[in-house]
Amino acid sequence: MRFHAEAKRDRYDVVVVGAGVGGLTAAAILAHAGRSVLLVERHDRLGGYAHAFRRGRYLFDSAVHLVGGCEPGPFEGSGLIHQLLSILGVRDRCAFARIDPCYTAVYPGLSVEAPCDFDEFLRAYAEEFPSEQKALRQFLQECLNVRQEARRAAQLASAYDVMSSPDRFPTLLRYRRATLSNALDAHLASPRLKTALGSLWPYVGLPPSRASFLYYATMLMSYIADGAYYCRGSFQRFADALGEALTMRGGEVLLRSPVRRIRVERGRVTGIVLENGQRIDAPLVISNADALQTIEELVGEHAFPERYMAGLRSLKPSLSAFVTYLAADLPLPSAIRHHETFFFPSLDHDEAFRDSRAGAPSWLTITVPTLADPDLAPHGVHLLVLTTLAPHRVEGGWRADKERMTARMLGLAERYVGEDLGGRSRLIESGTPRTMERYTRNAEGAIYGWELSPAQVGPARPGPRTPVEGLRLVGHWTQPGGGIYGVVSSGIQTARGVLDAPGETAPWDAL
Ligand SMILES: Cc1cc2nc3c(=O)[nH]c(=O)nc-3n(C[C@H](O)[C@H](O)[C@H](O)COP(=O)(O)OP(=O)(O)OC[C@H]3O[C@@H](n4cnc5c(N)ncnc54)[C@H](O)[C@@H]3O)c2cc1C
């Protein structure tokens, strides 16, 4: 790929602001459909939260650990990412390693492994909780129904089509206001089983009592029904493959180029201005940047109706994360055997969430990407990524608190795995919520855009269209929500909304 300091032309059909996975997906599809596309990114590489960084001979993913749907699967609509890369002609750029079990969750007196296969998952949990076998099957079937209906709903033009088709979307409509706890309580009796099935709550950033059941079920099924994957060579490869799909079709990428302003005249987008002063005309601008930043800083809120602004301001961002990156000498402690292990201090997820929100996390996940891809580090070394959720602000600021928090993460890890990981590490580095914000400009370092509560997912988020003609949104601040699977869906949805021509069929209609 060739990157330029200035756009080659002064006019494009479409400018995409931000090269997160949502922006990349939309840009690549639009270029594939024959539009002239300019993708502008302020960072020096593609991917947003999906970017990777090097420290000496170690290659770390900055954030992303696991993505569903990277290979064909057994269910309707399985393998979304595989299909997308295939249509764009870059499937061979990514080698995905299947992660099985997709996660392990360890509690005092309880440890569960989640096989990366629907029937195996059911069998594993039924073995641990035999008296609830039937109810468990019903609950998981309901999760699968959510996923299937959500895939079909994504192909519709608007949320109104879902609301007006109760026969086609009974599960989405039944659970649209349900939390994960509501759905678990409706099916299951055992508190331990309910806790175990909610183990993946950090992946939606809210505990079961507050997380949207629809979003949780879709995310869980994207792993256990579709398959969970790690991209060999880091998820940077996945972002780069989407970038290559764009440039292969004549699209252009500008890195290290913050967009200063999105120009709007008489209620219509007319183009952008780069930080270097270059003015570029375009009748369509798609923003992958934080939604409020797009509106308040890049356009100016005067261009938007008050009602739209009030709606946006009523939404709550998701929590951020604190991440500690380690390069540790072998062997791995015996408590860590798989790619992703969650360690919780008790069966109470609400308490764990409260601890994180207060800046005193009591739980963490330990990811070991070198189990799936040993080439990320030299022989004899494993990369370990310790992640917990954390608030945007702590007393005294993150700059002052980073060291204390890193020590806390190492202390937690040591307590859970019973070994001194810090002492065996050749490299220890941390990213705070402020780091997340600095690299992506996501407000408050939010990891999934708006919080994934029932009131803020799917059609309850701002749609890809905005009141300003020619301005669209893409990524985790718009529909359907956060996570790579979510923003790929968003990229497809936003591009499809631009391209929709009645009577015409296109390859991405199948996605
Ligand atoms: C610690 C952590 C762990 C995670 N783990 C996982 C996981 O394992 N699996 C998973 O599916 N999801 C995971 N997520 C969530 C997932 O990474 C995000 O939801 C997703 O990547 C967001 O993508 P996006 O398209 O919305 O764009 P973002 O990644 O938010 O990128 C936005 C881009 O826009 C650019 N930009 C902003 N303003 C401007 C401007 N003015 N001019 C030019 N460019 C601009 C930014 O530099 C950035 O590159 C994780 C997130 C975090 C933080």
Side-chain angles (χ1 to χ4, degrees):
M1 270 184 277
R2 287 184 301 128
F3 302 117
H4 310 274
E6 279 224 327
K8 278 194 275 186
R9 296 157 42 179
D10 292 329
R11 188 179 170 81
Y12 295 81
D13 293 336
V14 189
V15 172
V16 178
V17 180
V21 169
L24 281 162
T25 302
I29 293 176
L30 290 170
H32 198 271
R35 302 294 196 276
S36 63
V37 181
L38 173 69
L39 175 65
V40 191
E41 167 57 48
R42 53 191 281 283
H43 194 17
D44 64 2
R45 66 201 72 177
L46 304 175
Y49 277 144
H51 83 263
F53 64 91
R54 219 170 243 298
R55 288 292 176 267
R57 294 165 70 196
Y58 314 124
L59 181 61
F60 288 98
D61 288 275
S62 62
V64 179
H65 311 156
L66 207 60
V67 173
C70 300
E71 295 283 358
F75 296 98
E76 176 195 335
S78 281
L80 179 72
I81 286 172
H82 164 80
Q83 281 185 62
L84 173 71
L85 294 175
S86 304
I87 289 171
L88 295 173
V90 288
R91 177 61 190 85
D92 60 343
R93 307 302 195 276
C94 300
F96 293 108
R98 192 176 168 89
I99 303 298
D100 198 356
C102 79
Y103 65 88
T104 306
V106 181
Y107 301 86
L110 175 68
S111 174
V112 273
E113 279 184 7
C116 179
D117 174 276
F118 186 84
D119 294 326
E120 288 298 320
F121 185 93
L122 175 60
R123 196 167 314 144
Y125 274 73
E127 240 166 55
E128 188 75 31
F129 301 93
S131 63
E132 298 239 38
Q133 193 170 351
K134 197 166 156 221
L136 184 61
R137 180 182 292 279
Q138 279 169 352
F139 175 76
L140 290 177
Q141 183 57 51
E142 209 70 326
C143 291
L144 198 54
N145 295 344
V146 169
R147 176 209 176 280
Q148 310 288 68
E149 289 178 26
R151 292 283 298 121
R152 279 176 228 146
Q155 290 170 338
L156 299 175
S158 81
Y160 176 77
D161 298 334
V162 174
M163 301 300 279
S164 58
S165 312
D167 297 345
R168 286 187 68 203
F169 302 105
T171 328
L172 293 189
L173 291 172
R174 187 174 328 128
Y175 290 106
R176 68 184 190 280
R177 296 207 178 87
T179 62
L180 172 58
S181 291
N182 296 149
L184 288 166
D185 291 343
H187 288 87
L188 304 161
S190 158
R192 284 161 64 83
L193 174 55
K194 289 190 250 184
T195 296
L197 283 171
S199 297
L200 218 46
W201 69 265
Y203 271 24
V204 291
L206 285 175
S209 62
R210 301 173 56 165
S212 154
F213 170 60
L214 295 183
Y215 214 80
Y216 188 87
T218 311
M219 181 270 303
L220 180 67
M221 290 298 124
S222 81
Y223 294 129
I224 69 160
D226 274 4
Y229 297 90
Y230 179 72
C231 187
R232 290 204 174 91
S234 84
F235 281 100
Q236 184 70 57
R237 290 245 171 116
F238 170 55
D240 289 346
L242 291 171
E244 204 176 332
L246 168 67
T247 52
M248 262 165 41
R249 294 282 176 154
E252 228 182 294
V253 177
L254 273 186
L255 294 176
R256 300 186 188 87
S257 301
V259 170
R260 185 199 298 166
R261 199 153 57 79
I262 296 174
R263 286 157 42 221
V264 173
E265 286 165 29
R266 287 188 284 280
R268 264 211 123 277
V269 156
T270 54
I272 59 161
V273 183
L274 296 179
E275 205 50 64
N276 67 10
Q278 189 182 10
R279 284 168 73 88
I280 297 158
D281 293 337
L284 185 70
V285 173
I286 298 177
S287 179
N288 186 207
D290 172 294
L292 268 177
Q293 183 215 141
T294 300
I295 284 156
E296 292 177 340
E297 294 177 32
L298 298 183
V299 180
E301 65 176 275
H302 55 83
F304 296 85
E306 262 174 39
R307 215 165 137 234
Y308 186 76
M309 292 309 302
L312 271 189
R313 289 196 175 118
S314 69
L315 297 170
K316 213 173 150 196
S318 53
L319 216 54
S320 190
F322 190 96
V323 185
T324 299
Y325 309 91
L326 306 178
D329 287 328
L330 295 180
L332 276 180
S334 58
I336 313 173
R337 290 182 297 125
H338 303 300
H339 182 77
E340 184 92 335
T341 312
F342 292 79
F343 292 97
F344 294 109
S346 76
L347 296 172
D348 188 343
H349 289 315
D350 283 317
E351 195 178 8
F353 177 72
R354 273 197 302 274
D355 293 343
S356 266
R357 214 172 40 172
S362 53
W363 63 276
L364 81 174
T365 68
I366 302 183
T367 314
V368 192
T370 34
L371 286 171
D373 182 0
D375 292 341
L376 298 171
H379 185 66
V381 177
H382 266 307
L383 303 186
L384 277 75
V385 181
L386 320 183
T387 309
T388 193
L389 296 177
H392 176 235
R393 278 192 193 81
V394 283
E395 223 180 293
W398 275 113
R399 200 186 297 268
D401 212 34
K402 186 169 174 175
E403 226 170 281
R404 179 198 67 85
M405 189 70 150
T406 302
R408 187 179 179 101
M409 295 292 274
L410 290 170
L412 275 177
E414 191 176 324
R415 194 170 92 210
Y416 286 124
V417 305
E419 286 184 41
D420 174 15
L421 282 182
R424 280 172 43 187
S425 292
R426 300 177 183 190
L427 175 134
I428 303 175
E429 192 172 318
S430 291
T432 71
R434 180 67 196 118
T435 319
M436 312 286 153
E437 186 174 52
R438 190 156 41 86
Y439 276 102
T440 60
R441 296 228 50 211
N442 278 296
E444 306 195 358
I447 62 178
Y448 303 119
W450 308 113
E451 200 173 74
L452 295 167
S453 60
Q456 296 196 168
V457 297
R461 278 167 127 73
R465 278 177 189 274
T466 71
V468 169
E469 214 183 318
L471 176 67
R472 309 270 171 121
L473 303 176
V474 73
H476 61 186
W477 298 94
T478 179
Q479 299 169 7
I484 296 300
Y485 198 90
V487 300
V488 164
S489 305
S490 160
I492 294 167
Q493 222 170 304
T494 299
R496 206 187 266 141
V498 170
L499 296 170
D500 260 356
E504 281 183 30
T505 55
W508 36 89
D509 290 344
L511 293 174

